[in-house]
Amino acid sequence: MDGCLRIHNTVSTTITSPVFSKKSANFRVFTVKCSSDGALSGAAGVAERPWKVADARLVLEDGSIWKAKSFGARGTQVGEVVFNTSLTGYQEIITDPSYAGQFVLMTNPHIGNTGVNFGDEESMQCFLAGLVIRSLSISTSNWRCKETLGDYLAERNIMGIYDVDTRAITRRLREDGSLIGVLSTENSKSDEELLEMSRTWDIVGVDLISGVSCKSPYEWIDRTASDWEFNDNGRNKETYNVVAYDFGIKHNILRRLASYGCKITVVPSTWPASETLKMKPDGVLFSNGPGDPSAVPYAVEAVKELIGKIPIFGICMGHQLLGQALGGKTFKMKFGHHGGNHPVRNLRNGCVEISAQNHNYAVDPKSLPEGVEVTHVNLNDGSCAGLASSKMKLMSLQYHPEASPGPHDSDIVFGEFIQLMNQEKVKA
C-alpha cells in the first residue's frame, strides 16, 4: 500500500514524469498500483496512524478543557494543578511527598530523556496526583537509567499527560491562581461530569500529612554518597541525636543531616511531644510535607510543647507549623513556589541564595510575636522564607536546603542547626 492512506479497491494511477535534456524535453510514463491486501484496518479501509492520538483530557475548574496524550496509568484523577520551573530533577519531584494531592506541570518542555533510576527517589513511592508535560522523550540516554518514565509511573498507578500547551496553562495559573483539575482517559465520562468533579473537590483544610507519614519510628543512617558529596569541610565529628518528625520527609534531608554527624530517629506525624522528650534528643527536625498547615492541629500542638525545650529546625511545612505554634498565621498563596530557581535574601548577612522551593502556603510575618526574627525573604514576592529565635532555640526555612533537585547554596543551614545544638550541649 506504499503511498496510499485510504483505499476501497485497487487503484491505478498514471504518473507523467518529465526527464529533461539539453535540447528537448522527453517524458516517461509509468503506472503505480495500490491494493488493500490486508494492509489496512477497519471497514472503511483506513490505515492505522503510526503515532499516538489524543486520548486524555485535563478539565480545569475554570471550564477550560485541554486535550492531551496519556502515559503512565489510566483512569480518572482529581487534584490541584501547580507548575514547577525546575529544569532538571523530574524524578525527585515526582517522589516528593509534598506534592500529594497535586498535578505537577513541568514548565521545562522536554521530560523523560534521562529515564528513571532508583537512587534518585526522595521517598519509597509517588504521592502526586499526576504529571503534566509538554514533550515526552521517545528514548532515554543516561548510564544510570533503569526504566522509562512512563513505565515507572504506570507501575505506581500515577497518571501523566503530554502534548499539551503547558505554557498556556502556566500563564492561566499565574493569572488566576492554582486551579483544581480532573485528568481522565475515560471516554465514558462527559466533559460536564469532569467539570463538576473539579468544582466540588477542594484541597484546603484537608489533612494530607497523615497519608504520607511513616506509621512507626525507625532509625536512619544513610549519608550522602561520597560520589555526590559537595560540602564536607569543617564538620564537627561529634554525633548529635535528632528526632525527625515525618510530615512527608525527603530522603535527602535525612542524608544531609546524617552527613553532618546526626544520628536520626524518624517518628510519625502524630508522635506525642512527651515521647520525644523522653528520648532526650539534642535537637528536633520538623520536616516538609503536603497541604494546609491549618488542617493538622495535632502537629501544631506537638510543636508548641517542644518550643523552648529543645533546639528545633523546621523545613517548609515545619516552618509553617512553627509559625502557627508561635502564634502567627499562615495563608494560601496565589500559585505557590515550586521550582529550583527561587532567589532568597539572607537578611543576616545580605547574601542571596538560589533555592529549591515547593509550597502553597506561607507565614504572615506581621502576625508573629516579638522576639521572632524573620531571617530570609523571597525576592520574587517578598514573602517570609525563614524564621529564628535564639531565646526559644529555633530556626526554620520555607524552602529546601537539601535541594534535590536544585542548587546547593543553602546547604550550610544544616551546619547552623549543628551549631544550635552544640550551644545547648555546651550549656549543659
Side-chain angles (χ1 to χ4, degrees), residues 5 64 129 216 260 286:
L5 290 179
S64 60
S216 58
Y260 273 86
F286 294 113

Side-chain angles (χ1 to χ4, degrees), residues 108-169:
N108 184 33
H110 198 56
I111 301 295
N113 51 314
T114 57
V116 171
N117 73 86
F118 306 119
D120 286 347
E121 293 175 322
E122 288 298 323
S123 65
M124 298 303 293
Q125 66 184 91
C126 298
F127 293 99
L128 78 169
L131 185 64
V132 180
I133 62 176
R134 177 66 184 94
S135 176
L136 178 65
S137 179
I138 61 174
S139 63
T140 59
S141 179
N142 188 278
W143 65 275
R144 300 172 69 222
C145 175
K146 298 299 182 184
E147 62 180 331
T148 67
L149 176 60
D151 290 343
Y152 183 84
L153 293 183
E155 292 166 3
R156 288 153 181 78
N157 198 33
I158 302 296
M159 298 181 69
I161 58 171
Y162 67 102
D163 267 11
V164 64
D165 193 343
T166 51
R167 292 180 68 184
I169 298 175

